[in-house]
């Protein structure tokens, strides 16, 4: 089972929301290879778990979301193992990005390097006022290796991404919100509740429509505009055959809340 025998990741399901906590507080939740694998296992399990309608990713302890890849392991990488480790992390983070249910990062503190890249792979980012976000890899003689160069540039545009990646600067939550790196900033004590409220709202919508929306945005944004629109229209057509669409329209016309079967 994907949620069992985990050392560095904790999981808890509340109201159909799976809360995934990266939990190595002594090293500010740094991602060693085992932790990356455990994250992969949890998402693989949650994918087919009908009890899970949305996922929140956060960090254990007071200080950090994730302070990056584990530098003790990074320092020992060879060219071959470095490439393989990067590719493995890229694969697992892409599973998060393509996850068919909403994934929200609740950034409770430092989100640096691989931690920032983990947050970038999530669909939505909510930050505590205490969050510090950055890609400091160039200070260590490396570059982001878990998709950060690509996702940061797509999210913020090349200029801002290159500024953050090449300076290695950390920015605070409010600056991150201003440039669109996070969706929302809240007080530390309100972080998890805000993420859960948003997750519940999305979970109350049609699951098949939300899944199609994630796919349209993710896959479509890697296509040309016309191909992206073609994908949108095709997914739209597909949803017209869904039970969720019948229920959503009927509920509106009958002036009652919809109860989506998720089919
Ligand atoms: N890896 C390993 N240990 C870490 C890490 C890390 N990324 N971050 C913090 N720690 C450890 C510290 O060494 C310290 O351990 P100890 O108590 O044994 O001395 C403990 O966590 C607490 O940290 P600090 O005492 O440093 O706490 P501060 O509050 O003084 O500072 C900082 C907090 C600013 C977050 C600081 O810890 C820091 O700069 N950490 C490193 C941040 C960083 O550079 N992250 C990027 C790493 S590179 C990366 O993520 C590449 C991703 C792509 C990999 C591709 C695969 C090959």
């Amino acid at each position: 089972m994907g949620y069992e025998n985990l050392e560095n990741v904790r999981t808890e399901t509340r109201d159909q929301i799976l809360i995934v906590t990266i939990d190595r507080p002594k090293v500010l939740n740094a991602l060693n290879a085992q932790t990356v694998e455990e994250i992969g296992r949890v998402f693989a399990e949650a994918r087919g778990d009908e009890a899970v309608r949305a996922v929140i990713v956060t960090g254990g302890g007071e200080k950090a979301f994730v302070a990056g890849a584990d530098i003790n392991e990074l320092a020992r990488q060879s060219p071959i193992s470095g490439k393989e480790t990067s590719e493995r992390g890229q694969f697992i983070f892409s599973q998060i990005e393509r996850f068919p249910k909403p994934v929200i990062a609740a950034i409770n503190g430092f989100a640096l390097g691989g931690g920032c890249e983990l947050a970038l792979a999530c669909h939505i980012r909510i930050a505590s006022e205490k969050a510090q976000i950055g890609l400091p890899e160039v200070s260590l003689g490396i570059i982001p290796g878990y998709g950060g160069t690509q996702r940061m540039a797509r999210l913020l545009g090349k200029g801002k991404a290159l500024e953050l990646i090449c300076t290695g600067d950390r920015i605070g939550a409010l600056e991150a919100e201003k440039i669109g790196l996070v969706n929302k900033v809240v007080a530390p004590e309100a972080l998890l509740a805000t993420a859960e409220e948003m997750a519940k709202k999305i979970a109350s919508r049609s699951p098949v429509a939300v899944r199609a929306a994630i796919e349209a945005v993710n896959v479509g944004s890697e296509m040309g505009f016309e191909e992206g629109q073609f994908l949108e229209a095709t997914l739209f057509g597909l949803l017209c055959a869904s039970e969720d669409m019948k229920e959503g329209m009927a509920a509106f016309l009958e002036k009652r809340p919809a109860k989506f079967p998720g089919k």
Side-chain angles (χ1 to χ4, degrees):
M1 278 287 283
Y3 307 146
E4 284 166 13
N5 302 320
L6 302 171
E7 251 179 64
N8 303 326
V9 175
R10 270 189 291 124
T11 61
E12 183 192 346
T13 307
R14 284 204 293 257
D15 297 327
Q16 297 189 299
I17 314 297
L18 177 69
I19 301 172
V20 179
T21 305
I22 317 302
D23 200 24
R24 299 181 76 210
K26 284 193 183 137
V27 286
L28 305 186
N29 308 323
L31 299 175
N32 58 2
Q34 183 185 336
T35 309
V36 173
E37 290 303 322
E38 290 185 3
I39 295 170
R41 272 173 50 201
V42 166
F43 273 89
E45 182 73 25
R47 198 181 170 91
D49 185 346
E50 288 183 7
V52 171
R53 300 285 293 267
V55 181
I56 293 172
V57 181
T58 194
E62 294 294 305
K63 273 175 76 171
F65 175 72
V66 167
D70 190 317
I71 297 173
N72 298 298
E73 279 188 5
L74 273 186
R76 296 194 300 266
Q77 296 289 354
S78 70
I80 302 296
S81 71
K83 182 165 185 277
E84 281 173 359
T85 309
S86 167
E87 285 173 344
R88 182 68 188 153
Q90 287 174 349
F91 173 79
I92 288 172
F93 284 15
S94 287
Q95 302 307 305
I96 298 176
E97 183 169 52
R98 292 186 204 133
F99 200 66
K101 313 173 205 190
V103 184
I104 301 176
I107 306 173
N108 54 310
F110 292 113
L112 304 176
C116 175
E117 295 177 280
L118 174 61
L120 283 167
C122 297
H123 301 138
I124 294 166
R125 284 156 290 286
I126 303 178
S128 138
E129 285 160 353
K130 290 201 311 202
Q132 293 269 317
I133 307 174
L135 291 171
E137 281 89 342
V138 292
S139 330
L140 297 163
I142 53 173
I143 60 170
Y146 288 151
T149 57
Q150 303 308 301
R151 291 199 177 91
M152 189 71 108
R154 281 162 174 73
L155 187 65
L156 305 182
K158 259 163 67 173
K160 202 70 204 173
L162 280 169
E163 179 190 331
L164 287 171
I165 293 167
C166 294
T167 61
D169 279 349
R170 297 202 293 261
I171 58 172
L174 289 175
E175 175 70 10
E177 184 185 32
K178 201 173 93 191
I179 63 174
L181 179 51
V182 302
N183 300 64
K184 193 186 261 246
V185 179
V186 296
E189 57 279 10
L191 180 65
L192 216 48
T194 308
E196 286 188 63
E197 199 181 312
M198 191 185 282
K200 271 189 224 157
K201 181 186 280 185
I202 300 173
S204 75
R205 311 304 192 209
S206 154
V208 291
V210 168
R211 178 183 186 142
I214 293 169
E215 206 170 2
V217 171
N218 270 339
V219 181
S221 59
E222 296 301 322
M223 294 172 158
F225 188 78
E226 286 309 324
E227 291 85 354
Q229 290 214 107
F230 179 76
L231 173 68
E232 181 186 79
T234 305
L235 289 168
F236 188 96
L238 201 62
L239 290 170
C240 292
S242 71
E243 289 179 30
D244 277 14
M245 181 216 182
K246 286 187 190 72
E247 167 60 11
M249 304 277 166
F252 178 82
L253 295 172
E254 291 159 19
K255 301 191 188 307
R256 59 170 174 84
K259 279 190 74 178
F260 292 110
K263 292 180 193 160

